Amino acid sequence: LKKGHKILKIALDVPVNKLFDYMSDDQNIKVGQYVKVPFGNRKLIGLCCEISNQSEIDKDKLKLTINTEQEVIFDSSMLKLLYFVSEYYHHPIGQAIMSVIPTRIKNNPNSFRKKELLFKAKANLSHNIINNFPKRQLRLRKVANAILKENLRQSDLKKITSNASECIKKLEELDLISSEIFIQEIKRDRIIPPTLNEQQKNVIEQINKYKKFKPWLVHGVTASGKTEIYMSLIEKQLSNSCDQVLVLIPEINLTPQLEARFQGRFPDKKIVVLHSFLSDIERLDNWREAKNGHANIVIGTRLGVFTPMPNLNLIIIDEEHDPSFKQSEGLKYHARDVAMMRAKNLDIPIVMGSATPSLETWYKAINNKQNFQYLKLQSRAVDSSSLPTINTIQVNDKTKLEISKKVIDGIQKRINKNEQTIIFINRRGFSPVLVCGSCGWVANCQRCSSRMVVHLQKKRLKCHHCGADVKINNSCDDCGNTDLFPLGTGTQKVEEVLKYHFPEAKISRIDRDTTHSKKTIENLYKEMNNRDIDILVGTQMLSKGHDFPYVSLVVVLDADNALYSSDFRASERLFSQLMQVSGRAGRGKIKGEVLIQTVFPNHELFESLKAHDFDRFSNKLINERKSMGLSPFSFNALLMVQSKNLEIAKQFIFDVSSWIKQSSLEEAEVFGPARPALEKLKGFERFHLYIQAPSRNQLHSVIKPWVSQIRQHPYVNRVKWSIDVDPMDF
DNA sequence: AGCACGCCGACT
DNA sequence: GTCGGCGTGCTC
């Protein structure tokens, strides 16, 4: 090793589970900085993870780094977390690290958001001076007058005249104006915190007793005032100006209202948000505010769990049960579980809240596993709002797709009272498909083994898996018959039936087809709050914690298909969703009612729901899971393999399956290989292999050597494969 | 992953 | 003859 040279261990975005060694003579280089390096015959950007004077690699193979960036991206505690995450989820270290860095830095490490300037008149700028400007320089006068009148934002310059920036330059040369960085004034209407009830106070007091690592589950019915509890805990944690708190929330919940609510509660604290609707540069800006410790409160969706925060001392996870905390592509992490690891590493408390906790968390909490503490809120925070009455409506196979008379009457009653109705359709696996009346042919997707969904008003068929979009044929592909009709209930069809029954009512629909942007969702909430909508028809999106104060009726159609789903989590999800949508009713002063159409009104799920008894149904599910050895009584991983070539996929999955079956006779059970519900997706033939172990340690001790073995398989580069630890959709 | 190398078949 | 298809192997 040359004198003055160091060895850097660098994380690169390549699917090889190791760090790469490079030489550098940069004396100031620090762990966590970005470096550009030659890799093969391309140049890559990577993160310096270790600095050493040793290398296992032949000296003549070691290359020199090209350059390094000043900014330190991750400190050692973040790197420790990322090492752990890479191991836990069996994802290559370099890809794990690189995938959680804001994309903007990767593309252009030196990009900072351009600060907008604000131009101000200096004391010597006066009408007199302006009048003495040369007569011909009308534009200069115009700009000067504007600034004299009031401070001028850079973005407003063009409104005055086209060459305003030249005029500004001139005025600055004449020393008549000054400029400073423009800071958007945020309306900070201080929100006076509501008086807390006894149970809220009790919860807060208990949590505040501990300063060190402790996971808490706050289990409170909808509208029991969980957010106010978070606020109070945050207030306590932010006693110093440099203290930081991380709040993680589900994807759909992050609205400007929430941000405003936090800002109102903490008017003198810096709050930043991190979610997918931000532009890259905004995201980077906010991320940097968190990293340099300026931001006191970081509110983010799942990726937010990887935000560097030097003075983090509390993590809050709202709606802990929400599936959007699990990333399903690339590094398949669960933000809640990563947050647990992070809190443990930092020895700080972590608070999870939900009205319908995930079975896993609930089970851990009530049994104090992993140090978990369980806290329950029994009643709603606002006294006048009581829980809605829940009723089932018996339907049979023939009538289950129709809207029953009781529902129609209920809706009419609300319309008369100027109250609102929400119609919830559990669309999972249920959409209108195109069927041939004479031979029974069904329109399938060409690339996936799924059915095409009918979109009537556009007269098109769409595949909800790959996005394929084709015109509806007027005749059957198989027999040529023209008797094609849509079968099943979709939100559109329900909307049509409702229009027929209530021609005067204002009906809106919320689902994946109507709601691709944040704006439409926000508009919808606005319209609901202005009572511009009478009936809102929608899917799972409706069950995500939004307040609709004028909704007094919630109707659930199509609830049953989850009861006999092959997915063992389907009934947990349905129960949770129904409890959540039920919580949408009667949030204000109006008493709420929930009507559920079902073929099985006596099913335990509906009985528990009617009694608002989460524990009752959860205990039943826990017993089922226990007897079947499912999560949380086992620890699981799912190997997914896909290839355009069926034979290659088959060969690969059967090979690796036989490897693990041989090596894990004692520690784990292996199921499969099997074809998933969607055998073919986007033209790829798919296979799954499911691994189940009685303990976390056993699962990992089986998988770790196996994954290295998989990476040696001759077909590894001919198939797409990945491992999902703690999978959610199996 | 992304790229080069190398081995085959099918073209001006 | 060589162009390009894909299978294989490697990257500090």
Side-chain angles (χ1 to χ4, degrees):
Chain A
L1 194 62
K2 260 195 222 155
K3 222 179 156 193
H5 275 159
K6 296 172 183 172
I7 304 286
L8 311 181
K9 317 255 168 188
I10 293 172
L12 294 170
D13 185 10
V14 286
V16 181
N17 192 25
K18 62 175 169 186
L19 299 171
F20 289 83
D21 293 5
Y22 285 86
M23 286 190 299
S24 168
D25 57 358
D26 184 343
Q27 294 307 306
N28 298 319
I29 193 148
K30 293 192 267 299
V31 165
Q33 282 181 335
Y34 246 152
V35 285
K36 197 185 232 177
V37 293
F39 187 74
N41 52 0
R42 50 198 172 132
K43 293 181 177 71
L44 291 184
I45 195 155
L47 198 78
C48 173
C49 293
E50 284 166 49
I51 300 172
S52 152
N53 42 31
Q54 305 268 318
S55 176
E56 312 272 282
I57 304 297
D58 287 351
K59 284 184 186 65
D60 51 338
K61 267 187 150 184
L62 288 177
K63 292 179 179 171
L64 275 166
T65 56
I66 297 167
N67 62 18
T68 59
E69 298 292 337
Q70 278 303 302
E71 186 172 9
V72 173
I73 310 278
F74 288 131
D75 60 16
S76 57
S77 79
M78 281 305 292
L79 286 175
K80 188 183 160 195
L81 178 71
L82 287 162
Y83 281 143
F84 187 85
V85 164
S86 157
E87 283 237 354
Y88 185 94
Y89 291 107
H90 300 279
H91 198 70
I93 179 70
Q95 289 190 313
I97 291 176
M98 298 305 281
S99 67
V100 299
I101 296 172
T103 42
R104 186 67 187 222
I105 305 193
K106 283 180 261 187
N107 303 336
N108 182 4
N110 289 316
S111 72
F112 286 86
R113 178 145 61 164
K114 276 193 213 125
K115 301 283 184 198
E116 187 181 354
L117 295 175
L118 185 72
F119 302 106
K120 289 180 159 179
K122 284 196 170 179
N124 51 351
L125 181 69
S126 64
H127 288 293
N128 249 343
I129 295 231
I130 296 172
N131 287 332
N132 288 335
F133 282 166
K135 287 245 153 39
R136 306 275 309 270
Q137 298 188 1
L138 288 172
R139 288 171 174 180
L140 189 68
R141 286 163 182 255
K142 217 171 163 184
V143 173
N145 272 318
I147 293 177
L148 187 59
K149 197 171 153 212
E150 60 179 348
N151 293 342
L152 186 63
R153 282 177 64 174
Q154 198 170 14
S155 58
D156 291 335
L157 281 179
K158 285 218 171 71
K159 289 179 197 162
I160 297 178
T161 162
S162 55
N163 68 339
S165 43
E166 283 168 41
C167 302
I168 290 288
K169 218 182 252 172
K170 192 83 184 275
L171 290 168
E172 275 176 333
E173 277 165 21
L174 292 166
D175 199 31
L176 294 171
I177 61 166
S178 63
S179 65
E180 60 185 56
I181 289 164
F182 172 74
I183 297 158
Q184 180 89 50
E185 293 251 349
I186 306 161
K187 267 194 210 150
R188 297 185 175 182
D189 306 329
R190 184 184 279 272
I191 298 172
I192 312 292
T195 10
L196 300 170
N197 61 30
E198 284 309 310
Q199 57 171 2
Q200 283 175 311
K201 277 188 204 154
N202 174 45
V203 163
I204 292 162
E205 193 187 313
Q206 294 228 41
I207 297 176
N208 277 338
K209 270 192 218 153
Y210 299 88
K211 287 235 170 330
K212 303 206 158 202
F213 171 69
K214 200 170 262 289
W216 299 88
L217 173 62
V218 178
H219 182 189
V221 297
T222 47
S224 59
K226 285 187 294 294
T227 312
E228 210 35 63
I229 289 174
Y230 305 149
M231 298 278 191
S232 186
L233 294 171
I234 292 169
E235 188 169 38
K236 173 97 183 199
Q237 289 295 333
L238 296 182
S239 41
N240 292 315
S241 62
C242 64
D243 288 331
Q244 292 184 300
V245 168
L246 175 63
V247 182
L248 297 180
I249 57 174
E251 219 124 64
I252 195 86
N253 271 15
L254 195 45
T255 58
Q257 290 95 299
L258 185 82
E259 201 183 338
R261 186 165 170 193
F262 270 86
Q263 194 63 77
R265 189 67 162 67
F266 303 104
D268 42 353
K269 298 292 179 189
K270 172 87 180 164
I271 298 171
V272 298
V273 295
L274 292 167
H275 56 80
S276 52
F277 285 118
L278 295 178
S279 70
D280 283 355
I281 196 96
E282 283 173 310
R283 168 180 278 277
L284 178 55
D285 239 42
N286 291 349
W287 183 86
R288 279 187 170 129
E289 294 283 5
K291 181 167 68 84
N292 62 26
H294 291 165
N296 302 107
I297 302 173
V298 175
I299 308 173
T301 48
R302 61 168 179 259
L303 191 56
V305 77
F306 293 110
T307 314
M309 296 171 74
N311 304 310
L312 182 61
N313 54 22
L314 171 69
I315 302 177
I316 286 172
I317 302 177
D318 191 23
E319 308 296 351
E320 165 281 327
H321 64 281
D322 196 285
S324 74
F325 284 123
K326 178 78 198 255
Q327 169 116 67
S328 55
E329 237 120 63
L331 174 63
K332 297 178 181 58
Y333 65 95
H334 198 302
R336 175 197 60 209
D337 300 342
V338 175
M340 271 283 273
M341 301 166 195
R342 193 168 176 186
K344 197 167 183 185
N345 286 346
L346 295 173
D347 201 19
I348 58 169
I350 173 168
V351 177
M352 307 179 188
S354 175
T356 55
S358 67
L359 217 49
E360 281 81 0
T361 303
W362 183 77
Y363 180 74
K364 272 189 250 179
I366 58 172
N367 293 299
N368 300 109
K369 297 200 183 270
Q370 296 171 24
N371 217 353
F372 244 108
Q373 299 298 120
Y374 180 76
L375 296 169
K376 192 155 190 177
L377 293 160
Q378 294 288 358
S379 59
R380 289 189 157 186
V382 184
D383 290 338
S384 59
S385 67
S386 55
L387 293 165
T389 26
I390 297 173
N391 290 309
T392 43
I393 298 170
Q394 168 94 58
V395 290
N396 58 39
D397 268 348
K398 272 188 183 163
T399 57
K400 70 179 181 186
L401 300 179
E402 294 162 12
I403 298 176
S404 65
K405 176 126 195 331
K406 275 187 194 162
V407 170
I408 301 286
D409 292 348
I411 297 173
Q412 189 60 59
K413 219 165 82 190
R414 312 301 141 148
I415 292 177
N416 297 345
K417 287 198 283 183
N418 194 21
E419 291 171 7
Q420 294 166 323
T421 301
I422 283 179
I423 311 238
F424 178 75
I425 300 173
N426 179 38
R427 213 183 25 175
R428 209 164 246 274
F430 216 90
S431 302
V433 294
L434 195 67
V435 182
C436 170
S438 79
C439 76
W441 170 88
V442 177
N444 285 316
C445 177
Q446 298 295 305
R447 301 161 66 206
C448 310
S449 52
S450 74
R451 288 162 175 195
M452 303 286 275
V453 173
V454 179
H455 286 245
L456 269 184
Q457 83 278 55
K458 285 184 187 155
K459 295 216 189 292
R460 296 188 82 82
L461 293 169
K462 288 187 189 183
C463 173
H464 280 187
H465 298 283
C466 72
D469 184 346
V470 298
K471 240 177 87 181
I472 292 183
N473 269 347
N474 6 352
S475 62
C476 168
D477 279 9
D478 266 15
C479 68
N481 195 299
T482 52
D483 182 22
L484 300 182
F485 62 94
L487 183 74
T489 307
T491 50
Q492 290 176 25
K493 187 148 177 236
V494 171
E495 201 184 352
E496 269 175 41
V497 175
L498 289 170
K499 268 186 190 144
Y500 168 77
H501 284 286
F502 308 104
E504 305 288 303
K506 282 152 284 178
I507 303 166
S508 272
R509 186 155 57 87
I510 176 172
D511 60 24
R512 220 180 336 174
D513 306 319
T514 56
T515 331
H516 359 252
S517 75
K518 194 174 72 161
K519 224 175 179 162
T520 40
I521 304 175
E522 271 167 34
N523 281 340
L524 211 83
Y525 291 140
K526 225 181 253 167
E527 284 170 36
M528 282 296 280
N529 285 338
N530 293 340
R531 303 206 212 188
D532 293 338
I533 296 173
D534 297 309
I535 306 169
L536 182 60
V537 183
T539 54
Q540 15 277 2
M541 299 180 91
L542 282 176
S543 61
K544 310 234 170 172
H546 271 281
D547 282 7
F548 297 118
Y550 305 111
V551 169
S552 61
L553 176 63
V554 171
V555 176
V556 181
L557 302 175
D558 261 344
D560 291 344
N561 47 63
L563 297 178
Y564 25 73
S565 167
S566 61
D567 176 359
F568 72 82
R569 266 179 247 265
S571 52
E572 178 190 349
R573 214 161 26 220
L574 176 67
F575 184 63
S576 156
Q577 277 174 0
L578 293 188
M579 270 204 111
Q580 296 276 354
V581 278
S582 302
R584 304 303 112 214
R587 280 218 152 193
K589 302 232 184 274
I590 315 165
K591 171 88 179 168
E593 186 186 2
V594 179
L595 292 174
I596 303 168
Q597 288 195 181
T598 172
V599 183
F600 309 100
N602 300 322
H603 192 283
E604 180 63 41
L605 191 149
F606 300 118
E607 292 293 334
S608 302
L609 196 67
K610 283 180 205 167
H612 299 281
D613 197 341
F614 179 88
D615 295 7
R616 175 173 157 188
F617 190 64
S618 297
N619 274 318
K620 181 192 139 77
L621 289 177
I622 281 286
N623 288 334
E624 271 176 26
R625 301 262 188 107
K626 194 174 195 170
S627 68
M628 296 174 78
L630 298 167
S631 171
F633 300 94
S634 63
F635 297 85
N636 314 292
L638 180 66
L639 176 76
M640 296 177 279
V641 173
Q642 51 175 233
S643 166
K644 299 218 171 185
N645 182 323
L646 179 66
E647 286 312 309
I648 284 175
K650 215 185 235 176
Q651 182 75 53
F652 182 85
I653 191 97
F654 276 92
D655 284 352
V656 301
S657 157
S658 73
W659 294 345
I660 194 170
K661 281 176 180 166
Q662 280 165 30
S663 69
S664 69
L665 294 169
E666 298 290 315
E667 305 95 314
E669 243 188 296
V670 180
F671 300 90
R675 310 231 44 185
L678 268 167
E679 296 193 354
K680 226 173 126 192
L681 182 63
K682 298 177 190 180
F684 284 89
E685 302 285 352
R686 306 162 79 218
F687 285 93
H688 282 178
L689 191 69
Y690 198 65
I691 298 104
Q692 195 171 65
S695 78
R696 183 114 267 158
N697 283 342
Q698 284 169 94
L699 179 70
H700 284 273
S701 70
V702 166
I703 285 182
K704 210 182 167 184
W706 183 51
V707 169
S708 336
Q709 212 181 350
I710 292 175
R711 294 197 172 109
Q712 311 289 314
H713 191 282
Y715 287 174
V716 256
N717 294 326
R718 297 227 257 155
V719 298
K720 285 170 183 265
W721 68 281
S722 66
I723 270 213
D724 190 349
V725 177
D726 309 327
M728 300 259 295
D729 22 37
F730 187 82

